[in-house]
Amino acid sequence: FGKPMSLRAAVNVDLVGPKKKPRRRQGYQQMLAGRFHSPATITGTDVLYAVADGDLNAYDHNFGLLDTVRANVGEGRLTYAEVLGDLYWSSASEIRRSQRGTGADLPLWIDCPGTPDADPYAGGGLSAGAYRLAMTWFDADGRESGALGVAYVDIAEGEGILLSNIPTAPEGAARARVYMSPPNEGEMYAAMELMPGVSQTVLGIGHLNNAGKALETLWRQPLPPCSILRYWNGRLLGAAGNLLVWSDPIAFGLTAPQDDYLRFGQEITLLEPIGEGDASAGVWIADHKYTYWVDGSKPSDWRRVIKYDHPATPGTSLLVKGTVLGLETTELVAFWVAANGVFCAGLPGGKLVTP
């Protein structure tokens, strides 16, 4: 017994200072068992999202399981984007969102499964001519789907229009809307609303309303699954293979696939937008060969410039304040490791800083 004079053996202990005073290391403590990857949090909450043994789970600040958000998402890495408190996420095969507050697992955007058939109907009071019709769906939050096609029908004087083979409601649908054009015109206007489960209906003169809401989402679809997902300037941006894709403004997740993309060499390995609507705004992006600065705060203004003759290492990018990297700016800058091992900082305005 008596005063200890020496330390014979110790585990997780450092000898500190000139007198080699023993101090236990803080070390690490396992809180959860299993295979974990793809952690994420939402600003202002103490909820942790992570994939555990193939399921996307939500945990509280003590690592207690709150909910399994979605089962069987797999072992591939997920990518996340926070939008107004909702957590949007994508795997290689699906893209969805977890609703703020409730944590509900929802589609990225309400889908549109197709277009009904349109035929003449005896009675209805419409003028003779050619009519165009389309259908969209709404979720409980009022998000409107795209319209994936147009039905055409020619009717005689006084007839109506029979809509049949109305598609089954997509996931999350609360109601549907039918749009109809005046005779021999192109623009379609809101004509009728339907509840899920209706398989056919008739439109007549009472549904013709060329002063109503015009169809704005023709040919639009939800974004495809992305390997990188980001929110910026009111849009979702994503890397889908070698394509940079983006959503409509405010309509997070709804896109015009025939127009809303930029093609790069091979698979995109870096996607970090910076700047908010000012002259220095743009996107740092890399493919298999180069790193680019895409200048401009919206797609219609974008100009692509090669900034570095090396691609980025996938999964190494993040946004940090410039002061964290020893730069004389408090603005957020993009940081990543290039494929040649060089640390890179991409500033707003397109300036690239390397050691």
Side-chain angles (χ1 to χ4, degrees):
F1 300 99
K3 185 177 180 180
M5 301 300 295
S6 63
L7 178 66
R8 180 175 179 181
V11 178
N12 289 333
V13 169
D14 290 321
L15 301 178
V16 181
K19 294 185 178 181
K20 303 300 181 183
K21 183 178 180 180
R23 183 180 68 185
R24 181 172 294 279
R25 295 173 185 166
Q26 291 184 348
Y28 298 92
Q29 179 182 358
Q30 184 180 29
M31 304 301 296
L32 297 167
R35 303 185 311 278
F36 285 82
H37 66 85
S38 304
T41 59
I42 296 179
T43 303
T45 74
D46 58 359
V47 177
L48 169 69
Y49 291 82
V51 178
D53 297 324
D55 298 337
L56 178 58
N57 292 335
Y59 300 91
D60 63 21
H61 66 282
N62 290 318
F63 299 99
L65 179 64
L66 295 173
D67 190 22
T68 294
V69 177
R70 189 162 181 83
N72 301 318
V73 301
E75 297 299 335
R77 185 178 64 88
L78 302 189
T79 180
Y80 301 96
E82 182 184 337
V83 183
L84 303 180
D86 286 359
L87 188 67
Y88 289 70
W89 61 270
S90 182
S91 67
S93 60
E94 60 180 345
I95 180 168
R96 301 181 65 83
R97 66 185 175 97
S98 179
Q99 189 179 50
R100 62 188 178 277
T102 67
D105 173 44
L106 299 171
L108 167 80
W109 199 266
I110 187 74
D111 203 357
C112 183
T115 305
D117 297 331
D119 296 287
Y121 181 81
L126 290 171
S127 299
Y131 290 79
R132 305 171 77 232
L133 299 105
M135 174 176 281
T136 63
W137 294 85
F138 289 80
D139 66 12
D141 294 324
R143 293 173 168 88
E144 185 176 15
S145 76
L148 295 189
V150 178
Y152 299 86
V153 61
D154 289 296
I155 65 171
E157 187 70 26
E159 289 186 323
I161 299 172
L162 172 65
L163 284 187
S164 60
N165 294 322
I166 294 174
T168 302
E171 180 186 2
R175 57 189 170 94
R177 176 177 290 166
V178 177
Y179 290 84
M180 180 171 65
S181 73
N184 306 313
E185 295 185 19
E187 192 76 67
M188 290 176 280
Y189 302 92
M192 174 188 287
E193 302 221 341
L194 302 172
M195 298 302 293
V198 175
S199 60
Q200 68 177 36
T201 190
V202 175
L203 292 97
I205 186 63
H207 300 107
L208 189 60
N209 181 16
N210 57 8
K213 180 184 181 297
L215 175 61
E216 298 175 345
T217 62
L218 184 60
W219 306 119
R220 277 166 162 73
Q221 301 177 26
L223 279 172
C226 297
S227 60
I228 310 174
L229 197 61
R230 297 290 185 264
Y231 173 65
W232 181 65
N233 280 350
R235 302 176 189 265
L236 276 180
L237 308 183
N242 69 331
L243 300 180
L244 169 61
V245 296
W246 57 87
S247 75
D248 290 345
I250 308 305
F252 316 119
L254 198 63
T255 185
Q258 68 275 18
D259 296 318
D260 295 345
Y261 70 90
L262 276 180
R263 190 182 304 276
F264 288 80
Q266 291 183 15
E267 185 172 5
I268 292 171
T269 57
L270 166 70
L271 175 59
E272 293 295 351
I274 54 176
E276 290 289 338
D278 56 24
S280 64
V283 184
W284 286 100
I285 190 165
D287 59 16
H288 72 294
K289 191 173 183 180
Y290 298 114
T291 298
Y292 308 84
W293 169 249
V294 180
D295 188 57
S297 61
K298 54 186 178 180
S300 59
D301 296 336
W302 279 348
R303 292 173 292 120
R304 179 179 1 187
V305 180
I306 295 174
K307 286 292 184 174
Y308 198 49
D309 290 336
H310 297 276
T313 303
T316 62
S317 68
L318 73 161
L319 296 181
V320 296
K321 288 186 176 181
T323 50
V324 173
L325 302 177
L327 303 173
E328 294 183 356
T329 176
T330 58
E331 291 186 284
L332 290 177
V333 303
F335 171 81
W336 67 92
V337 180
N340 62 348
V342 172
F343 291 86
C344 299
L347 278 63
K351 182 179 179 181
L352 180 68
V353 178
T354 58

